[in-house]
Amino acid sequence: MPKHLVIVESPAKAKTIQKFLGKDYEVTACMGHVRDLPKTKLGIDLEHDFEPKYLILPEKNRLIKDLVQQVANVETVFLATDLDREGEAIAWHLAESLKLDPSRFSRVIFNEITRNAIQAAFQKPLQLQMSKVHAQQARRILDRIVGYQLSPLLWKKILRGLSAGRVQSVAVRLIVEREQEILAFQSEEFWKIIAQLCPIEMPKTHFEAELKKIKGEKAKISNEEAAKALVADIQKQHFEIQQIIRKEKLEKAGPPFATSQLQQQASIQLGFSTKHTMIIAQQLYEGLDIGTEGPVGLITYMRTDSFQVSQEAIQECRQFIGQNYPPNYLPDKPQQYTNKKAQGAHEAIRPTSVFRTPQQLKTYLNQDQYKLYKLIWERFIASQMAPACFALTTIIIQAGDYELEAKGRQ
């Protein structure tokens, strides 16, 4: 019989963690929150410090009864829910619902679901961080106070089913303010003139140059008639290169993904919705079966605002770059990224091992899992590479009173 009970959120996560812990541990899933504020009442005492009244969710009554029986037959309970505020709150609700003695349960957190990370977490169990629990409760209570009291007004005045909450109310105001700016915008017509040019000695080489100045002043063309008159006059002129400016520019790669950047790039590059991106990322985090290794987490925790990465992961990434790319791709020192607004509790989203390349995992992942993993893997590898070096060339061309400019980047 197992000596320890480990409670996580999802069955997929439970399956992966069970593999790393062995027979002395039983890993089970609570399937998210087990308690919440009542659906048909405010559930908050506004007169007594906003005290919330939590109830076990009806669909979780059977689960709680089963967990109570399991808890009675083990020595220790480990609450291994996610490491963010929501995960901490779920752990606290479990402890309260199961009436766990503080001496009998511990909190374990990990940023990735790999053997080393799981074993390290269980070797150093923690206590519940009530500051995180209070932060989640404050957010939940604010949602309820705003939404529960304001939404019925929307139903009466606008449309039933609309939600006015902590996020929706602010978002609507931002949209309204932006729409007012759009309506107040005074449009101004302007025209660009682009010349198609080729060197006399290279008649088959064409490039574009844009009109920038007229008699030394910045070109400002406000209507079609003026534009056509200028084109007709410019065509009569002799074009001569006045100056060629060459310089190099280094462009540093972007940092590894935080949640918002991952969602943006998955939308731009893959056409994924925010919801779909997070569902796929959750699957990659919780663990997928990859052949002889069995279920293993492929990325770190995917809800983060941090660009920081552990030193071990950076060294592994630099080792991979050194082994698989030309020497000039590896900088002398690791690249460091910071986000001043980040809480700093989590790492950026990265592969749990860069040596699990997208190509190696392709046969084990479905199409969307592969695409998102490839996006995360490539971003992390690029973040530790040397900056790209671009040769910038600017050509200043004089044509009578007109100055044109051509730019190129290689």
Side-chain angles (χ1 to χ4, degrees):
M1 181 174 291
K3 296 179 181 179
H4 312 290
L5 178 67
V6 182
I7 305 176
V8 299
E9 288 106 327
S10 74
K13 193 174 175 182
K15 181 182 177 183
T16 308
I17 294 173
Q18 182 73 69
K19 182 186 73 168
F20 300 135
L21 293 179
K23 62 182 181 180
D24 286 339
Y25 294 81
E26 181 178 356
V27 186
T28 189
C30 67
M31 306 299 291
H33 278 281
V34 295
R35 294 199 310 178
D36 197 6
L37 299 170
K39 282 188 175 182
T40 56
K41 298 179 182 178
L42 182 61
I44 299 165
D45 191 340
L46 301 178
E47 304 300 324
H48 297 88
D49 294 328
F50 301 96
E51 184 69 28
K53 181 182 179 181
Y54 293 111
L55 300 175
I56 293 175
L57 297 169
E59 65 271 21
K60 296 296 176 72
N61 282 322
R62 178 65 182 272
L63 172 71
I64 293 297
K65 288 180 181 178
D66 292 342
L67 287 175
V68 168
Q69 291 179 353
Q70 290 176 282
V71 167
N73 295 321
V74 296
E75 297 175 7
T76 314
V77 177
F78 292 97
L79 303 176
T81 48
D82 287 344
L83 65 162
D84 58 4
R85 289 184 293 265
E86 209 68 30
E88 204 74 22
I90 292 173
W92 176 72
H93 283 300
L94 281 166
E96 294 288 307
S97 301
L98 301 174
K99 297 180 173 56
L100 294 177
D101 188 312
S103 64
R104 286 196 62 211
F105 81 90
S106 296
R107 176 85 169 103
V108 288
I109 59 173
F110 34 82
N111 190 52
E112 58 187 64
I113 305 178
T114 58
R115 185 178 299 278
N116 290 341
I118 297 299
Q119 291 177 348
F122 277 84
Q123 286 170 7
K124 295 181 179 179
L126 308 168
Q127 299 299 315
L128 279 171
Q129 298 179 52
M130 290 308 297
S131 58
K132 283 188 176 181
V133 176
H134 293 153
Q136 190 277 341
Q137 285 193 97
R139 185 171 66 180
R140 185 72 188 94
I141 289 168
L142 186 60
D143 277 337
R144 177 55 64 96
I145 291 173
V146 176
Y148 197 89
Q149 297 185 321
L150 190 56
S151 292
L153 179 64
L154 288 181
W155 303 345
K156 187 183 295 183
K157 300 290 186 181
I158 303 175
L159 180 68
R160 187 164 187 84
L162 292 176
S163 177
R166 171 180 55 89
V167 175
Q168 295 95 325
S169 300
V170 177
V172 169
R173 177 168 180 170
L174 289 171
I175 291 168
V176 169
E177 289 176 348
R178 179 56 58 88
E179 185 65 22
Q180 289 172 342
E181 289 176 11
I182 292 169
L183 293 173
F185 178 74
Q186 298 295 317
S187 62
E188 184 177 346
E189 185 177 350
F190 69 95
W191 288 71
K192 284 185 178 183
I193 294 178
I194 309 275
Q196 297 282 346
L197 305 174
C198 65
I200 294 172
E201 67 275 12
M202 299 170 65
K204 293 184 179 180
T205 302
H206 292 79
F207 64 95
E208 292 184 347
E210 182 181 346
L211 176 64
K212 290 292 186 180
K213 293 181 180 179
I214 303 173
K215 295 183 178 179
E217 299 292 329
K218 183 180 178 181
K220 188 176 181 181
I221 311 163
S222 57
N223 58 66
E224 183 178 3
E225 185 180 352
K228 287 182 175 180
L230 283 169
V231 168
D233 193 34
I234 292 170
Q235 286 176 329
K236 300 173 185 176
Q237 308 302 322
H238 172 69
F239 289 77
E240 185 175 319
I241 292 176
Q242 292 292 314
Q243 189 179 10
I244 298 177
I245 304 167
R246 293 188 177 95
K247 59 182 179 180
E248 286 189 351
K249 180 184 178 183
L250 296 179
E251 193 169 294
K252 190 177 179 181
F257 286 127
T259 304
S260 59
Q261 285 78 21
L262 175 63
Q263 292 169 344
Q264 289 165 5
Q265 290 305 312
S267 174
I268 294 167
Q269 297 188 40
L270 307 178
F272 288 179
S273 68
T274 297
K275 182 179 180 181
H276 187 61
T277 298
M278 296 310 290
I279 289 172
I280 300 300
Q282 183 88 30
Q283 294 167 358
L284 295 173
Y285 165 69
E286 290 183 345
L288 295 166
D289 197 319
I290 56 171
T292 55
E293 281 194 79
V296 63
L298 298 178
I299 63 170
T300 53
Y301 191 56
M302 65 288 160
R303 292 185 180 90
T304 176
D305 57 3
S306 175
F307 297 145
Q308 296 179 31
V309 176
S310 71
Q311 288 303 310
E312 293 83 358
I314 289 175
Q315 290 306 316
E316 185 188 65
C317 187
R318 285 175 60 81
Q319 181 186 351
F320 182 90
I321 294 169
Q323 292 176 2
N324 293 275
Y325 295 90
N328 60 324
Y329 278 66
L330 184 65
D332 294 334
K333 296 180 180 179
Q335 305 278 25
Q336 301 292 341
Y337 301 90
T338 57
N339 180 359
K340 293 179 180 179
K341 296 181 180 181
Q343 298 175 48
H346 306 159
E347 279 192 68
I349 304 168
R350 61 168 176 82
T352 54
S353 173
V354 294
F355 286 95
R356 294 192 191 99
T357 65
Q359 197 59 37
Q360 289 173 347
L361 298 179
K362 192 170 185 178
T363 56
Y364 305 110
L365 309 180
N366 65 36
Q367 190 176 35
D368 287 353
Q369 290 167 347
Y370 168 75
K371 286 180 179 178
L372 193 65
Y373 181 76
K374 185 170 182 282
L375 190 69
I376 293 167
W377 186 90
E378 288 181 346
R379 176 76 167 221
F380 179 53
I381 291 290
S383 73
Q384 286 303 318
M385 285 184 167
C389 181
F390 290 95
L392 305 180
T393 303
T394 302
I395 303 174
I396 308 298
I397 300 160
Q398 198 70 34
D401 292 334
Y402 306 103
E403 184 179 294
L404 298 91
E405 190 177 280
K407 288 187 175 183
R409 185 172 97 147
Q410 187 175 6

